[in-house]
Amino acid sequence: MPELPEVETVKRQLEKRIVGKRISSIKILSKKQFLGNFQKTIGQQIDRLWRRAKILAINVGRLTLLVHLKMTGQIIYLSKNRKPISVGHPLPFSPNQLPNKTTRVIIELEDGSRLFFNDLRKFGWIKLLDGDKIEKELSGLGPEPLEKDFSLDYFSKKLANTRRMIKIVLMDQAVVAGIGNIYASEILFEAGINPARQANSLSNREVANLYRAIKKILLQAIDYGGTSAADQAYIRPDASPGRYQNKLRVYQREGKECFGCFGKVKRIKQANRSTFFCSSCQQ
DNA sequence: CGGAGTGTTAGTCG
DNA sequence: CCGACTAACACTCC
């Protein structure tokens, strides 16, 4: 789930609570998932949070913590009075039961609040990097879809250049950064384009529609605080991981009625991943 | 019980 | 360049 809108939500929620605070300790429970010497961060102040693609970045003095939640990562903020905010994979948790068995890293701040990095499947990671190492880490990523350098001109050239299926291209982080399996399906439905179409077969008009759909869907999803896994009705009062799952129009709606016609939503496999679409609304 | 499927991505091979 | 496949891992569902 943690695609661009989810990570952006994590960033916005977290920065309000942790910027300006110093790190007092880091506990690493899963060694493979933390790269770098964590001791360099002790006593350092958190200056700024930012996001690049699906990666959350936390500036700590001269260093930066990069966090990738991959499939099942989750970040939970627990203040001293135990009010949690969490975004990421919505595994149920009780603030009274943290750390839990999926907790991989615990970052403790000077005011007694804590960040829990939970990750069921252990694909996610935290990397402590400085200077050009950061640039190197992020160098393979294409433009941010909501920033200026992602222009219609750039996008059409990229699409014209490849015969790959359009859904695969949308998820290619080197073409445009931050779109994953959920939003790729949603964006293509919004644009009325069949996910199996070859990218270079799209007309100018279709490319323009797709370009608009990318921005529209991502902005909308951020507005809703991202998507909790569609098959898990996990909503917390003050730790709400997002409400966009109620807005999904095709993702995980196989066999259900299309919102655009009387047909049914279909599911196919592309590159071994599920794609959801309406074969009549998306040509 | 076994096997498939799950939000990601890096890598290899042909 | 590109598609197919695999590997990281843990758990649920059928």
Side-chain angles (χ1 to χ4, degrees), chain A residues 22-273:
Chain A
R22 287 176 190 282
I23 292 177
S24 54
S25 82
I26 295 189
K27 290 198 184 81
I28 297 166
L29 310 179
S30 170
K31 264 197 159 166
K32 285 180 69 176
Q33 293 183 263
F34 192 104
L35 269 87
N37 180 2
F38 73 91
Q39 294 186 350
K40 290 184 187 167
T41 67
I42 308 301
Q44 299 293 312
Q45 180 172 290
I46 295 170
D47 299 318
R48 187 167 85 89
L49 269 63
W50 46 284
R51 179 193 58 75
R52 179 77 171 96
K54 304 172 189 175
I55 295 172
L56 173 71
I58 304 174
N59 287 0
V60 186
R62 295 173 40 243
L63 300 162
T64 299
L65 288 163
L66 295 184
V67 184
H68 201 312
L69 300 171
K70 289 287 181 94
M71 307 265 282
T72 56
Q74 175 184 54
I75 293 179
I76 298 165
Y77 173 84
L78 200 57
S79 68
K80 222 173 175 185
N81 65 9
R82 303 194 155 241
K83 274 208 164 167
I85 61 163
S86 88
V87 193
H89 191 67
L91 279 183
F93 69 93
S94 155
N96 297 319
Q97 292 173 347
L98 285 170
N100 62 31
K101 65 177 177 180
T102 70
T103 300
R104 311 304 179 195
V105 178
I106 305 169
I107 300 177
E108 201 172 300
L109 306 180
E110 60 187 345
D111 64 350
S113 61
R114 284 170 295 167
L115 294 175
F116 294 86
F117 174 64
N118 294 344
D119 184 16
L120 174 66
R121 288 177 70 181
K122 295 185 170 177
F123 290 172
W125 43 252
I126 300 179
K127 296 181 184 178
L128 180 62
L129 302 173
D130 58 7
D132 38 333
K133 297 251 183 59
I134 298 164
E135 279 171 41
K136 202 174 165 194
E137 182 72 33
L138 305 176
S139 65
L141 295 169
E144 285 289 323
L146 300 177
E147 304 282 328
K148 274 189 220 124
D149 54 341
F150 180 66
S151 65
L152 177 57
D153 189 49
Y154 162 87
F155 189 50
S156 12
K157 280 179 180 142
K158 280 289 179 185
L159 297 193
N161 245 329
T162 180
R163 301 156 55 182
R164 297 148 80 199
M165 292 183 285
I166 186 60
K167 192 236 188 182
I168 307 295
V169 179
L170 277 185
M171 296 204 311
D172 184 341
Q173 303 299 298
V175 172
V176 52
I179 299 171
N181 206 35
I182 296 177
Y183 295 110
S185 281
E186 293 298 314
I187 287 165
L188 285 164
F189 180 79
E190 169 70 22
I193 294 169
N194 189 308
R197 287 273 300 281
Q198 289 187 335
N200 65 353
S201 78
L202 301 196
S203 68
N204 289 341
R205 184 191 189 83
E206 287 172 323
V207 172
N209 280 342
L210 184 55
Y211 178 79
R212 274 196 295 274
I214 290 172
K215 290 171 183 281
K216 178 174 170 184
I217 296 291
L218 293 179
L219 283 172
Q220 207 173 49
I222 291 172
D223 220 40
Y224 277 75
T227 303
S228 293
D231 55 352
Q232 301 184 46
Y234 173 63
I235 300 175
R236 305 185 59 83
D238 57 349
S240 160
R243 306 172 313 283
Y244 199 73
Q245 61 272 22
N246 306 317
K247 301 284 288 183
L248 296 174
R249 290 187 286 175
V250 283
Y251 183 76
Q252 289 208 342
R253 292 193 65 250
E254 182 186 14
K256 304 218 167 120
E257 191 167 311
C258 172
F259 287 129
C261 69
F262 292 109
K264 296 238 158 55
V265 174
K266 294 195 167 131
R267 164 150 84 155
I268 56 171
K269 285 271 177 193
Q270 294 180 282
N272 253 331
R273 318 227 16 223

